[in-house]
C-alpha cells in the first residue's frame, strides 16, 4: 500500500502516480479510480528533466554589469550566481525601493496558476514573505472570467458563488430537453480544476444527458467544442456576435409573445427599458432576426426556429467562460441572463442559464463541502492594486489614471516587479507591447521551474522546486478530494523549495520569525492539515491524522448539494430570498451601471461590433482557446505537448476552404500576422473549425526572433497577435478572443525553436 501510494502527486489536471527510477521521475500515470484521467501527466518527466530547467540562480548580464547601454530584457544573456549573491541583491533591492519609493512600488501580483499544493502555493508564499517587509501592490481578478466577476454582482449576484451553485448535470439529464451552448463545452478543458481533481466526472455525466435524449446546440467556432457523443447540432456564429444572436432570439420571443411577462414582472427589474432597445425605439435599430442574421452568419429562419424551440422546451442556456474573453465580453453574459429571464425558466430544474459549464472539471458536477486549511498570507499594508489585465498599461503609465468598476483609480509606480507562479508572456495579450512595457521597471525578479519567456525577461531568476519535488497535499478549489503529494525526486541543480528561500531572505531583512512563526515546512503541513481536519469535523467528516493521510490514498468526499438547481430558492420566494443586487431582483436594466455612464457598458445588454473588425485588421478571426495537451504554458516542453506540434510549431486549425484559397497543405509552416505582430505555426487543415476562423492553441512558449519583422515568434503563440485592450472600462478584463489576422504559407527555411533550450549562460567566474 505505502509503496504504491507514496508515489502520488496532485496536479491541476488530476492525480498522478509516478514511477521513479534512480531518483528521477520516468513516468506519471492517472489514478486507477479516475474514469477519465488526463494525459497531461505525460508532460511531467520530460519537462522536469528537460534542457530548459533553471538549475542555478541567474542574473541578467546588463543588470549585473550596470551597463550604460543595456541589452533589453528578454534578449540578454545571464550570469549564474550563488544563492547568497542572488538573495543579497534581492534584499538590497527591496530595501532600496521601499526606502526611496515606498512599498507600493513593489508590484507582486504574480497572477498565474502555479502548481497544486496547499502549502507550497507560489503566490501565497511570495505574498506572505512580502507582507512581512511592508507589503506590495497587487492585481485583482483573473484572465478566466473577469467580466463575470465584476459585472454579475450588479445584475444577479456574486459569480463565484453562482458557479458553485450551478445546476447539476444529473438534474439536466433528468429535466432538460435542450441545452444551447454559446461557446460550446470543450471536454479538453474539463481535464482541469485548480488545486487538483481526483475524479473526472464530466464525460460520464454528459453521456447520461445524451442517453436521456437531451438535445445540444453547439454555437462555437469549433465543432469539437461539443463531445462527439452528444450529437450536437453545430451552428457556429461569427466570433464576437453571440450577443447579436441572443438579441435576435429575444426579438422573436417578444414579437411572437413567447416571453414570460409574469416572470419578468415578478423576478426582474428594467425589462421595459431593455425592450425599447430590442424594438429599436431607443436607437432606431430593431434587433430583429434579420438584423441578427446579418451579424452572426445564421439564417433568419434558424434564429426564428431556435427561439420557438427554446420557448417550448425546458431549456438550459450555457455560456462558456471564454465567450467573455472578448471585446465587450460583459454583454454576452448580460444578454444570456436577459434571454433566460424572458424564457422565464430561471430557478426551474434544467432551465435558466449558466455561465461557466466546462470551464473546469467540476462546474455542475461537484462542489467543495468545506474550506481546506491554507497558508496564511498575513496582512498587506499596501492597498493599491490593478485589474489584472492592465499590466502593460500600468508599466507604461506609472501613476496614470484609469477607470475600473465605476471608480477613478491611479496606477502604482512599479519599480520592482516580482513574479512567482505565473507567466505573463503566456497569459497576457500583445506580447511585443508587453516586451516593451517590461523594460520600464528598475528590477524584475522571477521564480520558475523553466526558462519561460517571462524568466528570460527577468533581472534575477530563481530556480525553484516543482510540485513533485516537495511534500504537500492537494485539494481542489471546487473538487471534493484531498490528495497526498510526495517528494518524488530531489530538485535538480541548485533549485530550492521557495519557503526555504524566503526564510533566508526574511532573515536578511529581519523578519524571519514573522515569516516562519517558528515552523519548518513539515510543521506547517501538519498545522494546515489540522485546520482542514477541524473544518471537516464541523461538517461531520472525520479525517485521519497527517501521518496516516500522507501515506494513504486520495480521500473523496460527497457533493454537498447533488440535486442543486440554480436560483431555485429565489424563484420559490423572492421576497424571503432576494438576490444581493440593488433591487434584490434580476437586473435586466441596472441603474447602477447606467449611472457609471460608460461608453462601452450601458444600463442594459447591448451589441457592440469587435474593434479589430471595425479597424479592418486581417481577414480571419483568430481564436486561441486552452490547449488539450497541457495547462496553459506549463510543461510545454514535455512529451505529450511536443507530440502534437507540427514540425516543432504549435498547430493552427485552418478550414479546408481557407487553406485551399491560400494554397496551404496540412503540415505546412504558416505565418499569421497583423499590425501588432506575427508568428509561425503548423497548419492543421480541418472542417472542424468555422470557415473564416483560425484556431491557435495557447501555451507555446513565446520565441521571438528579434532579427525578423515584428520580432516574429517562431513557435506559435497567439498572444503575439492579440490586442491587449480590455473588454470594457467597467471590468477591464482581457479580450484575447477578439483578434483578426492574415495568414499565408511560410516558404522560407523555418528557424529552429530556441525557447526549449536555456538562454546564453555565463558562470560567475567567467571573465566577461
Ligand atoms: N490568447 C489567449 N491568452 C490567454 C487565454 C486565452 O484563452 N487566449 N486564457 C487566459 C487564461 S483563462 C488564463 S487562466 C491564463 C493562464 O496564465 P498563467 O496561469 O500565467 O499560465 P501558466 O502557464 O499556468 O503559468 C504558470 C507558471 O508557473 C510556473 N510554476 C509552476 N509551479 C510553480 C511553483 O511551484 N513555483 C513557481 N515559482 N512557479 C511555478 C509554471 O512553470 C508556469 O511558468 O492565460 C490567459 N491567456
Ligand atoms: N486542457 C486544459 N484545460 C484547461 C486549461 C488548459 O490550459 N488546458 N485552462 C483552464 C482555464 S484557466 C480556464 S479559464 C478554462 C477555460 O475554459 P473556457 O473559457 O470554457 O474555454 P476556452 O477554450 O477559452 O474557450 C471555449 C471556446 O469558446 C469559443 N469561442 C471563442 N470566442 C467565441 C465567440 O465569440 N463566440 C462563441 N460562441 N464561441 C467562442 C472557442 O471556440 C473556444 O473553444 O479551461 C481550463 N481548462
Ligand atoms: Mo483561466
Amino acid at each position: 500500500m505505502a509503496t504504491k501510494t507514496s508515489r502520488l502527486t496532485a496536479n491541476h489536471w488530476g492525480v498522478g502516480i509516478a514511477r521513479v527510477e534512480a531518483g528521477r521521475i520516468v513516468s506519471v500515470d492517472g489514478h486507477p479510480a479516475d474514469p477519465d484521467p488526463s494525459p497531461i501527466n505525460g508532460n511531467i518527466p520530460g519537462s522536469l528533466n528537460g534542457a530548459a530547467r533553471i538549475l542555478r540562480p541567474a542574473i541578467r548580464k546588463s543588470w549585473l554589469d550596470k551597463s550604460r547601454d543595456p541589452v533589453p530584457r528578454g534578449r540578454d544573456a545571464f550570469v549564474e550566481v550563488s544563492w547568497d549573491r542572488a538573495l543579497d541583491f534581492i534584499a538590497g533591492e527591496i530595501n532600496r525601493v521601499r526606502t526611496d519609493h515606498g512599498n507600493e512600488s513593489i508590484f507582486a501580483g504574480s497572477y498565474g496558476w502555479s502548481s497544486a499544493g496547499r502549502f507550497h502555493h507560489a503566490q501565497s508564499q511570495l505574498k506572505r514573505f512580502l507582507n512581512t517587509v511592508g507589503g506590495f501592490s497587487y492585481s485583482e481578478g483573473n484572465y478566466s472570467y473577469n467580466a463575470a466577476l465584476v459585472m454579475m454582482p450588479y445584475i444577479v449576484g456574486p459569480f463565484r458563488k453562482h458557479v458553485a451553485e450551478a445546476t447539476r448535470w444529473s438534474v439536466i439529464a433528468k429535466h432538460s430537453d435542450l441545452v444551447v451552448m454559446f461557446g460550446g463545452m470543450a471536454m479538453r478543458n474539463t481535464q482541469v480544476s485548480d488545486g487538483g481533481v481526483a475524479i473526472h466526472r464530466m464525460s460520464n455525466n454528459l453521456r447520461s444527458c445524451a442517453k436521456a435524449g437531451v438535445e445540444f446546440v453547439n454555437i462555437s467556432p469549433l465543432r469539437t467544442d461539443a463531445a462527439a457523443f452528444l450529437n450536437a447540432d453545430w451552428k457556429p456564429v461569427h466570433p464576437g456576435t453571440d450577443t447579436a444572436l441572443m438579441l435576435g432570439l429575444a426579438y422573436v420571443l417578444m414579437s411572437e409573445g413567447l416571453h414570460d411577462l409574469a416572470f419578468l414582472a415578478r423576478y426582474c427589474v428594467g425589462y421595459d427599458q431593455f425592450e425599447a432597445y430590442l424594438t429599436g425605439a431607443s436607437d432606431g435599430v430593431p434587433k430583429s432576426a434579420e438584423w441578427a442574421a446579418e451579424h452572426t452568419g445564421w439564417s433568419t429562419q434558424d434564429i426564428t426556429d431556435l427561439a420557438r424551440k427554446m420557448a417550448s422546451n425546458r431549456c438550459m442556456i450555457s455560456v462558456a467562460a471564454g465567450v467573455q474573453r472578448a471585446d465587450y465580453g460583459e454583454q454576452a453574459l448580460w444578454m444570456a441572463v436577459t434571454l433566460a429571464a424572458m424564457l422565464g425558466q430561471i430557478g426551474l430544474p434544467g432551465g435558466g442559464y449558466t455561465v461557466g459549464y466546462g470551464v473546469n472539471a467540476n462546474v455542475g458536477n461537484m462542489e467543495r463541502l468545506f474550506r481546506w486549511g491554507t497558508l496564511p498570507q498575513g496582512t498587506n499594508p499596501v492597498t493599491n492594486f490593478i485589474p489584472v489585465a492592465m499590466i502593460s498599461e500600468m508599466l507604461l503609465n506609472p501613476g496614470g489614471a484609469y477607470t475600473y468598476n465605476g471608480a477613478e483609480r491611479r496606477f502604482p509606480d512599479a519599480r520592482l516587479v516580482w513574479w512567482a507562479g505565473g507567466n505573463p508572456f503566456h497569459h497576457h495579450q500583445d506580447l511585443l507591447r508587453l516586451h516593451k512595457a517590461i523594460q520600464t521597471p528598475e528590477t524584475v525578479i522571477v521564480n520558475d521551474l523553466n526558462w519561460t519567456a517571462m524568466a528570460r525577461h527577468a533581472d534575477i531568476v530563481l530556480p525553484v522546486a516543482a510540485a513533485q519535488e516537495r511534500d504537500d497535499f492537494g485539494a481542489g478549489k471546487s473538487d471534493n478530494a484531498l490528495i497526498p503529494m510526495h517528494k518524488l525526486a530531489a530538485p535538480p541543480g541548485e533549485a530550492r523549495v521557495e519557503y526555504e528561500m524566503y526564510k533566508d531572505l526574511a532573515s536578511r531583512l529581519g523578519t524571519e520569525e514573522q515569516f516562519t512563526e517558528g515552523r519548518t515546512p513539515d510543521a506547517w503541513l501538519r498545522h494546515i492539515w489540522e485546520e482542514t481536519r477541524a473544518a471537516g469535523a464541523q461538517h461531520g467528516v472525520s479525517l485521519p491524522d497527517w501521518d496516516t493521510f500522507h501515506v494513504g490514498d486520495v480521500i473523496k468526499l460527497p457533493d454537498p448539494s447533488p440535486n442543486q438547481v440554480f436560483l431555485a430558492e429565489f424563484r420559490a420566494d423572492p421576497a424571503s430570498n432576494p438576490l444581493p443586487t440593488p433591487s434584490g431582483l434580476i437586473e435586466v436594466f441596472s441603474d447602477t451601471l447606467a449611472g457609471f455612464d460608460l461608453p462601452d457598458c450601458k444600463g442594459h445588454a447591448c451589441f457592440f461590433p469587435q474593434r479589430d473588425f471595425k479597424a479592418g485588421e486581417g481577414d480571419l478571426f483568430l481564436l486561441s482557446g486552452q490547449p488539450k495537451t497541457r495547462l496553459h504554458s506549463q510543461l510545454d516542453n514535455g512529451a505529450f505537448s511536443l507530440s502534437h506540434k507540427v514540425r516543432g510549431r504549435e498547430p493552427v486549425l485552418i478550414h479546408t476552404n481557407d487553406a485551399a484559397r491560400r494554397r496551404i497543405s496540412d503540415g505546412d509552416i504558416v505565418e499569421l500576422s497583423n499590425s501588432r505582430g506575427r508568428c509561425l505555426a503548423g497548419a492543421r487543415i480541418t472542417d472542424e473549425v468555422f470557415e473564416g476562423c483560425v484556431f491557435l492553441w495557447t501555451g507555446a512558449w513565446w520565441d521571438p526572433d528579434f532579427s525578423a519583422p515584428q520580432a516574429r515568434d517562431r513557435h506559435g503563440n497567439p498572444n503575439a497577435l492579440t490586442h491587449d485592450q480590455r473588454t470594457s472600462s467597467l471590468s477591464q478584463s482581457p479580450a484575447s478572443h477578439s483578434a483578426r489576422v492574415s495568414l499565408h504559407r511560410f516558404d522560407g527555411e523555418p528557424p529552429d525553436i530556441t525557447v526549449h533550450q536555456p538562454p546564453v549562460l555565463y558562470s560567475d567566474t567567467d571573465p566577461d
Side-chain angles (χ1 to χ4, degrees):
M1 181 78 176
T3 48
K4 182 178 145 213
T5 52
S6 63
R7 297 196 205 109
L8 279 183
T9 170
N11 301 298
H12 298 304
W13 50 88
V15 178
I17 298 183
R19 196 153 60 83
V20 181
E21 283 173 11
R24 275 162 85 98
I25 301 169
V26 292
S27 66
V28 182
D29 295 316
H31 194 287
D34 187 345
D36 196 12
S38 164
I40 296 177
N41 275 327
N43 288 325
I44 296 172
S47 186
L48 296 194
N49 301 319
R53 192 73 198 260
I54 308 169
L55 297 175
R56 272 169 283 281
I59 300 194
R60 177 177 153 234
K61 196 163 180 315
S62 303
W63 192 89
L64 190 64
D65 296 347
K66 297 196 171 52
S67 167
R68 281 163 177 241
D69 185 20
V71 179
R73 293 195 174 101
R75 304 173 66 167
D76 208 346
F78 287 83
V79 181
E80 294 186 321
V81 299
S82 68
W83 270 103
D84 271 343
R85 196 156 181 223
L87 296 182
D88 285 346
F89 272 125
I90 295 175
E93 281 303 284
I94 289 175
N95 272 334
R96 181 185 66 78
V97 173
R98 65 180 174 169
T99 307
D100 294 354
H101 309 283
N103 278 74
E104 193 186 282
S105 286
I106 301 176
F107 179 78
S110 275
Y111 177 79
W113 269 59
S114 66
S115 298
R118 297 301 299 167
F119 171 63
H120 290 289
H121 180 242
Q123 282 85 0
S124 304
Q125 294 275 349
L126 174 61
K127 290 175 181 178
R128 180 179 168 83
F129 160 68
L130 285 175
N131 283 338
T132 71
V133 296
F136 57 95
S137 303
Y138 56 100
S139 58
E140 186 174 275
N142 64 27
Y143 278 72
S144 310
Y145 40 69
N146 202 60
L149 287 176
V150 176
M151 189 190 63
M152 287 307 211
Y154 295 106
I155 64 169
V156 269
F159 181 66
R160 282 203 172 92
K161 180 164 177 283
H162 282 183
V163 170
E165 292 170 356
T167 298
R168 296 296 184 259
W169 283 103
S170 53
V171 175
I172 294 179
K174 203 161 157 196
H175 295 280
S176 304
D177 303 307
L178 178 66
V179 180
V180 179
M181 308 184 292
F182 294 89
M185 199 146 344
M187 287 301 295
R188 63 179 181 278
N189 292 346
T190 66
Q191 294 177 83
V192 164
S193 180
D194 48 335
V197 49
I199 303 281
H200 290 87
R201 297 175 176 82
M202 188 69 170
S203 175
N204 283 342
N205 286 352
L206 279 188
R207 279 176 205 277
S208 304
C209 294
K211 214 166 142 201
V214 183
E215 275 185 64
F216 287 81
V217 181
N218 175 21
I219 305 171
S220 171
L222 261 197
R223 195 209 316 257
T224 48
D225 274 354
F229 60 76
L230 292 178
N231 283 321
D233 186 10
W234 183 39
K235 296 186 83 66
V237 278
H238 295 140
T241 66
D242 299 78
T243 306
L245 176 59
M246 291 187 230
L247 282 163
L249 294 167
Y251 192 94
V252 176
L253 296 181
M254 176 203 61
S255 55
E256 299 191 2
L258 298 172
H259 55 327
D260 187 336
L261 288 170
F263 185 92
L264 291 166
R266 183 164 184 218
Y267 298 100
C268 306
V269 289
Y271 174 71
D272 289 350
Q273 283 132 304
F274 169 74
E275 201 186 81
Y277 172 73
L278 191 61
T279 57
S282 63
D283 68 349
V285 184
K287 313 302 174 303
S288 61
E290 290 75 18
W291 172 86
E294 260 174 50
H295 287 283
T296 59
W298 277 39
S299 70
T300 309
Q301 191 60 50
D302 282 350
I303 296 172
T304 308
D305 290 348
L306 182 63
R308 290 175 183 159
K309 194 167 173 179
M310 290 169 86
S312 57
N313 283 285
R314 183 58 60 86
C315 172
M316 173 62 78
I317 296 171
S318 162
V319 186
V323 171
Q324 74 196 278
R325 227 172 289 130
D327 290 352
Y328 318 107
E330 295 82 7
Q331 303 308 314
L333 307 179
W334 203 347
M335 193 52 220
V337 176
T338 305
L339 183 60
M342 290 176 75
L343 289 168
Q345 298 181 16
I346 292 174
L348 293 180
Y353 80 92
T354 304
V355 174
Y357 280 137
V359 73
N360 74 23
N362 299 316
V363 181
N365 296 312
M366 175 60 67
E367 249 313 308
R368 189 169 56 169
L369 198 55
F370 54 88
R371 289 181 81 82
W372 324 122
T374 195
L375 175 70
Q377 293 182 5
T379 307
N380 186 356
V382 175
T383 53
N384 203 358
F385 66 85
I386 62 163
V388 68
M390 296 193 91
I391 176 72
S392 291
E393 226 55 50
M394 173 193 77
L395 293 170
L396 292 167
N397 303 292
Y402 66 97
T403 308
Y404 168 65
N405 206 1
E408 294 298 320
R409 299 184 52 85
R410 164 188 74 70
F411 289 122
D413 173 12
R415 307 245 169 181
L416 168 61
V417 172
W418 194 336
W419 227 283
N423 182 0
F425 283 90
H426 162 75
H427 63 237
H428 197 58
Q429 286 61 61
D430 198 347
L431 292 184
L432 262 188
R433 183 165 189 252
L434 179 63
H435 167 75
K436 288 188 190 107
I438 202 135
Q439 309 299 332
T440 59
E442 286 150 7
T443 303
V444 179
I445 307 171
V446 170
N447 318 352
D448 210 310
L449 320 177
N450 280 319
W451 281 105
T452 62
M454 182 60 189
R456 287 164 207 256
H457 281 81
D459 303 310
I460 305 176
V461 179
L462 302 173
V464 302
Q468 291 75 23
E469 295 158 358
R470 53 200 192 203
D471 285 318
D472 209 331
F473 73 102
K477 240 189 217 157
S478 49
D479 184 62
N480 246 333
L482 293 157
I483 309 160
M485 295 171 71
H486 294 276
K487 179 172 173 175
L488 302 165
E494 293 172 26
R496 292 183 77 187
V497 165
E498 279 157 300
Y499 180 81
E500 302 285 4
M501 147 198 136
Y502 292 127
K503 175 172 164 268
D504 287 356
L505 210 42
S507 134
R508 282 170 169 75
L509 293 164
T511 61
E512 182 177 343
E513 176 55 32
Q514 216 182 322
F515 178 70
T516 65
E517 293 179 42
R519 293 193 181 96
T520 61
D522 184 62
W524 270 112
L525 281 168
R526 288 167 191 277
H527 177 74
I528 296 171
W529 179 252
E530 283 311 316
E531 272 185 2
T532 307
R533 273 180 103 190
Q538 279 181 2
H539 288 79
V541 175
S542 164
L543 294 171
D545 64 29
W546 171 255
D547 292 311
T548 311
F549 163 68
H550 204 239
V551 297
D553 207 343
V554 178
I555 295 178
K556 284 166 271 174
L557 303 170
D559 185 355
S561 32
N563 302 311
Q564 181 75 35
V565 173
F566 179 51
L567 295 185
E569 292 82 9
F570 168 66
R571 184 179 186 110
D573 186 352
S576 307
N577 306 305
L579 299 178
T581 58
S583 60
L585 299 171
I586 297 169
E587 304 222 345
V588 171
F589 185 92
S590 160
D591 282 329
T592 314
L593 292 180
F596 290 165
D597 196 22
L598 303 172
D600 43 14
C601 187
K602 305 283 189 188
H604 55 75
C606 296
F607 173 66
F608 303 102
Q610 286 191 354
R611 300 178 179 109
D612 261 16
F613 185 72
K614 277 170 60 184
E617 282 282 358
D619 52 352
L620 295 167
F621 290 99
L622 171 73
L623 298 164
S624 53
Q626 317 290 32
K628 77 171 177 199
T629 57
R630 59 187 170 253
L631 176 68
H632 316 131
S633 70
Q634 298 198 29
L635 315 181
D636 175 42
N637 58 343
F640 184 53
S641 170
L642 292 176
S643 72
H644 282 70
K645 306 235 177 196
V646 177
R647 293 163 67 192
R649 328 280 140 167
E650 199 56 29
V652 56
L653 308 184
I654 307 169
H655 188 271
T656 317
N657 297 342
D658 291 323
R661 259 178 237 124
R662 293 168 179 79
R663 300 174 184 284
I664 294 169
S665 309
D666 194 74
D668 279 350
I669 304 295
V670 293
E671 184 174 46
L672 294 86
S673 61
N674 61 22
S675 63
R676 293 174 290 267
R678 56 186 65 217
C679 73
L680 302 181
R684 280 279 169 257
I685 296 172
T686 171
D687 290 335
E688 288 176 353
V689 65
F690 191 30
E691 191 172 344
C693 299
V694 285
F695 199 109
L696 178 58
W697 305 111
T698 58
W701 293 351
W702 189 50
D703 195 3
D705 178 354
F706 287 99
S707 65
Q710 294 175 296
R712 181 177 53 222
D713 166 36
R714 307 166 174 103
H715 198 183
N717 186 317
N719 285 326
L721 303 152
T722 52
H723 70 66
D724 81 339
Q725 299 175 68
R726 274 77 51 208
T727 54
S728 77
S729 50
L730 173 71
S731 76
Q732 299 284 8
S733 308
S736 48
H737 283 323
S738 298
R740 302 269 296 176
V741 293
S742 302
L743 170 74
H744 68 89
R745 198 175 63 208
F746 183 76
D747 287 326
E749 182 58 33
D752 289 340
I753 307 293
T754 66
V755 72
H756 288 159
Q757 300 298 319
V760 175
L761 293 171
Y762 297 100
S763 91
D764 213 358
T765 49
D766 286 347
D768 172 18

